[in-house]
């Protein structure tokens, strides 16, 4: 009897299990496996009973060694029958726990058919390390590269900082042994500022960027400081103590000699007969002024400097270098103060010349106007007497008090002339108006109209006849109109009314007649205006002439003011005033309409500008405060007295003005400032403190240092609205600008600090560098995915896999660094 065929079952030829290990290289225990399901199919014609055996022990692919695992293979439905009908299938599930250590493993399971065939199913188990482990290794590589670069850069930063501090210490130690002369103090201060800027840049915290700018920022300042130090060394090398100071004193004195010689020419008495009248007296006064405030101080200055210079030379010749140095420095300091006093005298002399010119011009102009004979004799004689009194004040050895009284008398004469001229103009205008009224009187027409209205006959023919007589009178008046176009308008209006009367439409005569009256009123007003213009013409010419003299005096006053924003503003106002004078001034041969109104406006502007300058001049006088107060009150200028009194009762109002153009007030830019309205008597004993409004330490300097050119500069790091303040005092409390005593002056201002285009460009450059770093990371991620995720390699199965990922960060960044150069080489020529 033949044996029956065994049932046939089929299943997967191989089952691949791939599961990432989160433990990575530290996987020592088992990890839960995600269940894998597959089916066994009965391909026989009869039902079969299955028995599952296994899985076999798990072993490594490489060495074949058995590793710990806990796998099980069982039906998905635990209650399912193991008998499969023909064509049926049984779903099995592989589950349990896999090795957590990355690697490639293998095992197998056996499915037995009762009484027949068997099926062996091999399992390939791939356990790669989880992707974060590769990414972490790659990022660790990038991090290590960044740390290497950071350490290299920080080492270089500290090397630069060490070199900068050493260079500054070396030059300071050298200067202690070879003191710099006073003429080099500015160079030493500039060198120190450059060293400080370099040290501050190097000691600053690194910006959040892959690019470090501290060395680049410090390089320029350090190079400038080093160059200044080398220059100072070369200039002072081999010089004995005191030699440089004596040489500087001699140099300053030699340069000053030329200036003193030029000033001496002013002190020489004029050759020839003195000028007659007030001119000669003013010349004599100016000569006395020159002798007292210029010639005598120059003589004292020459004698003192020559004596002090000789002492310094003798001390140097005796080998007393330090003594010679001290003498030279003290003499140079005293020389500057003496020259400043001499400059004050010269400035006063220039102002006296301007005032003398005004006095002489006023006297000459008033006498010329009196000769015209257009004012009453009584007033003319009174003004002449005042002018003679002013001239008499300057007789003999007249000095400042007599000079001021003479100027006052001239001012009174000018005021009297203005009043007399105004009275003459008013009288002339009144007579002219009376003449105009007489020429344009229509009393005859008014009388005729009254008679016609009183007539008993009011018929249309009677009214037409009466209106005809009225129009005849109007024609007689219109014939006297001298302006042809205006006369034509009158004729046209009269003829139009006559036509309306002739037509019998008397109701329409009223509006037309009122129009004729309006024309006549306008003509009368025109004649009155022309009469006024003729009367005002000479007065306008005189006012314009006075305005020109005032503008010249303002310009002369501006020449004595120190440079600054205030002077620039006054100069612009004077230029605008002169431009308007040319545009709106009168012509000598042309009688213009209403010429006085624009001149009054121009005159008020000139007075206001002159008053502001006078206020500043009085405020800046190097005289006691009470003397300033008296002069301000005597000037008659209200603001001058108010400002001077305010400065006497409270701290002086200072102006802190940025001199850097407004469009360049940006971050990173060295901004310059100036202090205006400082008291001229302030010197080495007066400290000024400037707070820049950004939390930085205040700047301290003496008034003498600022006068000698000490720069007030500051650089802002961030955009802001900076509120700056300045305080002047004799001393300050430590650590701030709180005065330790009386406040001598104070002021405040605000400026807008905008972002710098350079800073924006630097920020963009940093952004691109940071983007490059991010792009390197992206490249590394792509390469990592391509290398370990799209291929069959099991990441982490080898320990070297982590080293490869670590090196991938280096390689990606290095490749990106060299990529631009490679692309340039590949680019076609």
């Amino acid at each position: 009897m033949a044996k029956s065929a065994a049932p046939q079952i089929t299943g997967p030829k191989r089952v691949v299990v791939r599961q990432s290990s989160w433990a990575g290289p530290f996987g020592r225990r088992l990890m839960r496996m995600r269940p894998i399901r597959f089916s066994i199919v009965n391909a026989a014609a009869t039902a079969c009973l299955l028995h599952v055996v296994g899985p076999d022990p798990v072993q490594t692919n490489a060495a074949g060694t058995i590793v710990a695992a806990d796998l099980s293979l069982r039906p998905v439905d635990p209650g399912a029958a193991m008998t499969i009908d023909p064509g049926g299938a049984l779903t099995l599930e592989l589950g349990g726990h896999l090795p957590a250590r990355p690697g490639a493993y293998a095992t197998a399971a056996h499915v037995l058919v009762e009484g027949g065939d068997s099926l062996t199913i091999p399992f390939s188990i791939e356990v790669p390390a989880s992707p974060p482990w590769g990414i972490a290794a790659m990022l660790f590589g990038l991090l290590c590269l960044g740390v290497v670069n950071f350490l290299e850069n920080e080492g270089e930063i500290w090397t630069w900082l060490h070199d900068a501090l050493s260079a500054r210490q070396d030059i300071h130690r050298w200067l202690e042994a070879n003191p710099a002369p006073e003429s080099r103090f500015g160079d030493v201060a500039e060198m120190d500022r450059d060293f400080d800027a370099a040290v501050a840049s190097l000691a600053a915290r690194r910006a959040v960027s892959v690019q470090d700018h501290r060395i680049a920022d410090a390089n320029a300042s350090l190079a400038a400081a080093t160059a200044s130090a080398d220059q100072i060394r070369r200039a002072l090398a081999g010089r004995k103590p005191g030699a440089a100071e004596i040489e500087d004193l001699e140099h300053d004195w030699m340069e000053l000699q030329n200036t003193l010689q030029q000033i001496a020419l002013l002190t020489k008495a004029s050759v020839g007969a003195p000028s007659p009248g007030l001119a000669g007296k003013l010349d004599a006064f100016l000569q006395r002024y020159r002798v007292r405030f210029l010639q005598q101080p120059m003589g004292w200055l020459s004698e003192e400097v020559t004596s002090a210079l000789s002492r310094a030379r003798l001390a140097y010749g005796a080998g007393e270098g330090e003594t010679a140095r001290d003498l030279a420095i003290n003499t140079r300091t005293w020389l500057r103060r003496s020259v400043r006093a001499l400059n004050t005298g010269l400035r006063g002399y220039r102002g006296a010349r301007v005032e003398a010119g005004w006095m002489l011009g006023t006297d000459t102009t008033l006498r010329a106007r009196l000769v015209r004979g257009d004012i009453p004799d009584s007033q003319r004689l009174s003004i002449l007497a005042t002018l003679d009194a002013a001239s008499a004040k300057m007789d003999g050895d007249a000095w400042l008090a007599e000079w001021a009284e003479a100027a006052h008398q001239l001012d009174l004469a000018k005021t009297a002339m203005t009043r007399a001229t105004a009275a003459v103009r008013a009288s002339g205008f009144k007579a002219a108006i009376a003449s105009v009224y007489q020429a344009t009187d229509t009393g005859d027409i008014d009388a005729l109209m009254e008679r016609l209205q009183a007539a008993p006959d009011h018929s249309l023919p009677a009214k037409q006849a009466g209106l005809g007589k009225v129009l005849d009178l109007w024609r007689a008046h219109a014939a006297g109109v001298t302006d042809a176009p205006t006369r034509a308008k009158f004729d046209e209006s009269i003829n139009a009314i006559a036509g309306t009367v002739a037509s019998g439409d008397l109701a329409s005569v009223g509006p037309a007649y009122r129009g004729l009256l309006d024309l006549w009123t306008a003509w009368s007003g025109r004649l009155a205006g022309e009469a006024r213009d003729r009367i005002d013409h000479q007065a306008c010419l005189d006012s314009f002439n006075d305005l020109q003299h005032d503008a010249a005096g303002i310009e002369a006053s501006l020449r004595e003011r120190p440079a600054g924003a205030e002077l620039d503003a006054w100069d612009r106002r004077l230029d605008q005033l002169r431009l308007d004078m040319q545009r709106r001034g009168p012509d000598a041969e042309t009688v213009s309409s209403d010429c006085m109104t624009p001149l009054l406006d121009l005159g008020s502007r000139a007075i206001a500008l002159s008053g502001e300058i006078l206020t500043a001049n009085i405020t800046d006088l190097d005289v006691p405060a009470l003397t300033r107060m008296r002069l301000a009150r005597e000037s008659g200028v209200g603001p001058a007295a108010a400002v001077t009194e305010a400065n006497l009762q409270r701290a002086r109002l200072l102006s802190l003005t940025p001199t850097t153009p407004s469009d360049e007030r940006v971050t990173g830019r060295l901004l310059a400032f100036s202090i205006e309205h400082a008291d001229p008597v302030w010197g080495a004993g007066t400290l000024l403190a400037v707070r820049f409004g950004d939390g930085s330490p205040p700047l301290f300097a003496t008034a003498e240092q600022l006068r000698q050119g000490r720069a007030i500069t500051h650089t802002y790091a961030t955009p802001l609205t900076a509120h700056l303040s300045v305080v002047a005092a004799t001393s300050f409390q430590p650590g701030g600008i709180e005065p330790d005593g009386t406040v001598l002056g104070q002021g405040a201002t605000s400026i807008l600090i905008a972002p710098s285009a350079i800073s924006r460009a630097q920020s963009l450059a940093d952004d691109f560098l940071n983007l490059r770093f991010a792009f390197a990371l992206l490249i590394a991620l792509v390469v990592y995915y391509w290398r370990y995720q799209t291929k069959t390699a099991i990441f982490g199965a080898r320990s070297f896999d982590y080293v490869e990922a670590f090196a991938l960060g280096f390689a990606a960044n290095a490749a990106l660094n060299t990529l631009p150069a490679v692309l340039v080489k590949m680019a076609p020529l």
Side-chain angles (χ1 to χ4, degrees):
M1 184 173 182
K3 187 177 181 178
S4 61
Q8 298 292 323
I9 59 175
T10 62
K13 293 182 179 181
R14 176 178 294 273
V15 176
V16 178
V17 178
R18 186 176 181 88
Q19 182 171 328
S20 298
S21 171
W22 287 99
F26 302 101
R28 295 293 182 269
R29 299 181 180 180
L30 300 181
M31 64 177 181
R32 182 177 296 277
M33 173 187 171
R34 291 190 300 271
I36 300 296
R37 296 179 179 181
F38 57 90
S39 297
I40 303 297
V41 179
N42 183 7
T46 60
C48 62
L49 177 61
L50 302 183
H51 298 279
V52 178
V53 179
D56 297 340
V58 177
Q59 58 185 2
T60 62
N61 282 350
T65 57
I66 296 176
V67 298
D70 182 16
L71 299 179
S72 63
L73 183 64
R74 59 181 178 270
V76 173
D77 185 3
M82 296 298 290
T83 300
I84 307 177
D85 295 329
L90 176 65
T91 301
L92 301 178
E93 180 181 88
L94 178 65
H97 295 81
L98 294 174
R101 186 178 182 84
Y105 305 96
T107 187
H110 307 282
V111 180
L112 303 179
V113 179
E114 185 175 344
D117 198 5
S118 64
L119 176 65
T120 299
I121 303 173
F123 293 93
S124 295
I125 302 174
E126 299 177 356
V127 182
S130 180
W133 283 100
I135 295 174
M138 180 189 63
L139 292 178
F140 183 62
L142 284 173
L143 176 63
C144 289
L145 177 63
V147 170
V148 170
N149 291 336
F150 173 78
L151 293 177
E152 178 185 5
N153 186 73
E154 286 299 312
E156 189 176 5
I157 288 289
W158 282 100
T159 300
W160 276 69
L161 183 58
H162 168 269
D163 294 343
L165 293 173
S166 297
R168 182 171 64 178
Q169 178 177 299
D170 290 344
I171 187 61
H172 283 175
R173 186 169 55 247
W174 191 87
L175 287 173
E176 289 176 3
N178 304 272
E182 192 177 8
S183 61
R184 290 284 180 177
F185 283 0
D187 297 337
V188 174
E190 183 66 24
M191 177 193 69
D192 287 340
R193 283 194 292 270
D194 289 334
F195 270 126
D196 292 343
V199 170
S201 297
L202 294 171
R205 296 181 61 182
R206 176 172 177 157
V208 182
S209 172
V210 298
Q211 184 72 13
D212 193 351
H213 302 285
R214 289 177 290 178
I215 291 179
D217 294 341
N219 186 33
S221 297
L222 187 57
T226 304
S228 298
D230 293 341
Q231 182 183 9
I232 292 172
R233 278 194 175 97
R234 288 193 299 269
L236 302 181
R239 307 293 294 275
K240 295 181 180 180
E245 286 77 4
I246 293 177
E247 182 178 333
D248 288 342
L249 178 58
E250 291 176 341
H251 178 269
D252 290 351
W253 179 236
M254 291 299 296
E255 282 194 344
L256 187 59
Q257 293 298 313
N258 295 328
T259 304
L260 294 180
Q261 290 174 6
Q262 295 296 324
I263 298 176
L265 297 177
L266 299 175
T267 64
K268 293 183 178 180
S270 57
V271 179
S275 302
L278 182 61
K281 297 175 183 179
L282 290 174
D283 287 340
F285 168 79
L286 291 176
Q287 175 62 26
R288 290 190 294 274
Y289 194 104
R290 291 193 296 266
V291 170
R292 180 166 179 176
F293 289 105
L294 296 177
Q295 184 176 2
Q296 291 179 353
M298 283 194 303
W300 299 332
L301 176 64
S302 299
E303 182 179 351
E304 288 294 330
V305 173
T306 302
S307 174
L309 185 56
S310 298
R311 287 186 61 199
R313 287 170 177 165
L314 289 174
Y316 181 76
E320 301 175 0
E322 289 299 327
T323 302
R325 180 175 181 271
D326 292 341
L327 283 172
I329 291 176
N330 292 337
T331 302
R332 197 161 181 259
T333 302
W334 171 84
L335 177 62
R336 283 198 302 267
R337 294 177 180 174
S338 300
V339 170
R340 189 180 307 121
L342 184 61
N343 185 47
T344 301
L346 181 59
R347 178 181 173 185
Y349 171 69
R350 289 166 58 88
R353 286 188 61 184
V354 172
E355 182 68 14
W358 175 85
M359 294 171 66
L360 183 59
T362 301
D363 181 79
T364 304
T365 300
L366 293 180
R367 291 181 185 276
R369 292 177 183 175
L370 291 174
V371 172
R372 291 201 304 249
D374 52 0
I375 63 175
D377 289 342
S378 58
Q379 293 176 318
R380 181 175 61 83
L381 293 175
S382 176
I383 295 173
L384 280 174
T386 305
L387 294 175
D388 292 338
S391 178
K393 289 290 183 180
M394 300 305 297
D395 290 341
D397 294 331
W399 191 227
L400 296 177
E402 292 79 10
W403 181 57
E405 183 60 30
H408 180 63
Q409 291 294 326
L410 288 171
D411 195 48
L412 292 177
K414 185 177 180 181
T415 303
M417 174 62 80
T418 302
R419 292 174 178 172
T421 303
V424 170
R425 288 171 51 213
S427 176
F429 184 66
K430 183 177 181 180
I433 291 300
S435 177
V436 169
Y437 285 165
Q438 182 178 1
T440 58
D441 181 35
T442 57
D444 54 344
I445 298 176
D446 296 337
L448 177 58
M449 292 289 289
E450 291 178 359
R451 290 196 301 271
L452 292 175
Q453 290 176 357
D457 187 3
H458 292 284
S459 62
L460 177 60
K463 291 181 178 180
Q464 288 176 326
L467 288 174
K469 295 178 181 179
V470 171
L471 293 178
D472 289 338
L473 291 177
W474 272 112
R475 288 190 178 92
H477 282 286
V481 175
T482 56
D483 184 63
T486 304
R487 187 170 59 251
K489 290 181 180 180
F490 277 114
D491 292 340
E492 180 181 355
S493 178
I494 294 172
N495 292 333
I497 295 173
T500 303
V501 172
S503 67
D505 185 12
L506 299 186
S508 300
V509 172
Y513 192 81
R514 285 191 293 274
L516 177 61
L517 291 175
D518 292 339
L519 281 176
W520 190 253
T521 302
W523 171 246
S524 177
R526 176 179 170 180
L527 291 178
E530 290 177 350
R532 179 201 61 198
D533 293 337
R534 287 192 299 271
I535 293 171
D536 287 345
H537 180 63
Q538 185 59 51
C540 288
L541 294 178
D542 292 342
S543 297
F544 187 72
N545 183 54
D546 293 341
L547 190 58
Q548 288 179 315
H549 285 296
D550 292 342
I554 292 173
E555 182 177 16
S557 299
L558 290 180
R559 287 199 296 266
E560 305 304 318
R561 297 294 305 166
E566 187 177 52
L567 178 63
D568 294 339
W570 285 339
D571 192 49
R572 287 192 297 270
R573 289 171 59 183
L574 177 59
D575 286 344
Q576 186 62 49
L577 176 65
R578 282 179 163 165
L579 177 61
D580 292 342
M581 286 170 58
Q582 295 300 321
R583 292 173 51 245
R584 305 166 67 182
D587 175 59
E589 303 298 330
T590 305
V591 177
S592 56
S593 175
D594 194 16
C595 63
M596 189 58 70
T597 299
L599 290 178
L600 292 175
D601 175 64
L602 293 172
S604 64
R605 288 166 55 186
I607 292 173
L609 179 56
S610 179
E612 291 180 20
I613 298 172
L614 178 63
T615 300
N617 287 337
I618 294 177
T619 304
D620 293 344
L621 283 176
D622 190 2
V623 295
L626 291 177
T627 304
R628 294 178 190 166
M629 177 65 69
R630 176 178 57 80
L631 294 175
R633 290 172 177 171
E634 291 176 355
S635 70
V637 178
V643 172
T644 306
E645 184 175 0
N647 287 336
L648 183 63
Q649 296 177 352
R650 57 172 173 76
R652 191 179 183 91
L653 183 60
L654 304 178
S655 294
L656 182 61
T657 307
T659 58
T660 303
S662 58
D663 57 343
E664 296 185 23
R665 297 172 193 169
V666 296
T667 56
R669 167 74 152 84
L670 186 65
L671 306 184
F673 301 87
S674 65
I675 298 177
E676 299 178 349
H677 302 149
D679 198 311
V681 302
W682 292 349
T686 302
L687 278 173
L688 289 97
V690 179
R691 180 176 287 162
F692 295 100
D694 60 347
S696 60
L699 179 144
F700 292 93
T702 66
E704 182 67 21
Q705 289 173 333
L706 296 178
R707 191 178 291 115
Q708 295 299 321
R710 167 72 183 276
I712 303 176
T713 58
H714 186 68
T715 301
Y716 290 90
T718 58
L720 77 161
T721 299
H723 303 285
L724 296 85
S725 59
V726 57
V727 179
T730 55
S731 62
F732 291 91
Q733 297 178 7
I737 63 171
E738 294 297 327
D740 190 9
T742 304
V743 179
L744 301 179
Q746 59 186 2
T749 188
S750 298
I751 61 173
L752 176 64
I753 306 299
S756 170
I758 299 176
S759 300
R760 286 196 294 268
Q762 185 63 68
S763 177
L764 286 175
D766 290 346
D767 291 341
F768 278 112
L769 289 173
N770 295 334
L771 183 62
R772 186 190 71 175
F773 182 81
F775 193 55
L777 178 60
L778 178 61
I779 291 176
L781 290 174
V782 171
V783 174
Y784 169 81
Y785 182 80
W786 171 79
R787 172 68 179 83
Y788 295 110
Q789 300 299 322
T790 63
K791 293 190 169 228
T792 58
I794 302 174
F795 179 75
R798 301 176 305 157
S799 299
F800 191 71
D801 289 344
Y802 298 100
V803 178
E804 284 185 347
F806 176 82
L808 183 59
F810 277 87
N813 189 63
L816 193 62
N817 286 334
T818 58
L819 180 61
V822 173
L823 293 178
V824 170
K825 293 180 180 179
M826 295 174 60
L829 298 177

